[in-house]
Amino acid sequence: MMDTMAQLARQFPARRGFITGAGSGLGRALAHRLAAAGWRLGLNDLEPDGLRVLTDQYGPDQLATYVFDVADETAFAHAATDFLHRFQGVELVFNCAGIGGGGLVKRGDGGGRPARSALSHRLDDGEGLERARGAGVRGGPRT
């Protein structure tokens, strides 16, 4: 079986991604894995401590961090604008925080939220991937 990171690197050679809920749990694990593979990432969480640990490890040239509640559309829009300006695009958007139905989200959909749509509409060449986790809706634990 082909290594997942190698697959992602081939599919998305610019290696730019945005992860919500990146300070802990699944989001943090994904952020570590992608950053270690050389991805430039925008990372969001409600709590700054987990994001600070990632930035200390991988550096501010590789990671941009944003502390806000994903339900705050204004904050999400500012983060999306900053990330897109700083890294000139995005290939992967992984929503690990907040409320969502789970599953793949169609490019440009953004779950009906304008700020998320701003990121998902910018998925390069229509080949990007947006993934949402639905633990917020189903009452899963916040890790």
Side-chain angles (χ1 to χ4, degrees):
M1 176 182 241
M2 188 181 310
D3 179 76
T4 304
M5 288 295 110
Q7 281 181 311
L8 284 174
R10 270 199 309 283
Q11 189 172 359
F12 308 117
R15 297 180 187 187
R16 297 169 296 197
F18 196 96
I19 304 168
T20 67
S24 63
L26 180 62
R28 186 173 182 173
L30 179 63
H32 268 296
R33 186 94 188 253
L34 291 174
W39 283 67
R40 293 172 294 160
L41 301 170
L43 305 177
N44 152 264
D45 203 87
L46 276 172
E47 303 296 330
D49 294 342
L51 299 178
R52 193 173 302 115
V53 169
L54 290 164
T55 302
D56 288 349
Q57 184 170 356
Y58 297 103
D61 291 337
Q62 187 177 355
L63 304 180
T65 60
Y66 308 96
V67 177
F68 65 91
D69 184 331
V70 295
D72 181 341
E73 282 297 314
T74 301
F76 208 131
H78 286 296
T81 299
D82 180 74
F83 176 79
L84 292 169
H85 175 75
R86 185 170 174 183
F87 293 116
Q88 302 298 305
V90 64
E91 286 81 30
L92 177 79
V93 178
F94 198 93
N95 294 309
C96 261
I99 297 174
L104 293 176
V105 179
K106 188 170 92 178
R107 179 183 180 268
D109 175 16
R113 300 199 183 259
R116 289 189 187 136
S117 293
L119 277 174
S120 58
H121 277 298
R122 290 292 303 269
L123 291 170
D124 291 350
D125 302 322
E127 296 298 320
L129 172 67
E130 182 169 349
R131 176 88 174 108
R133 182 186 77 161
V137 169
R138 292 189 296 273
R142 184 179 192 289
T143 56

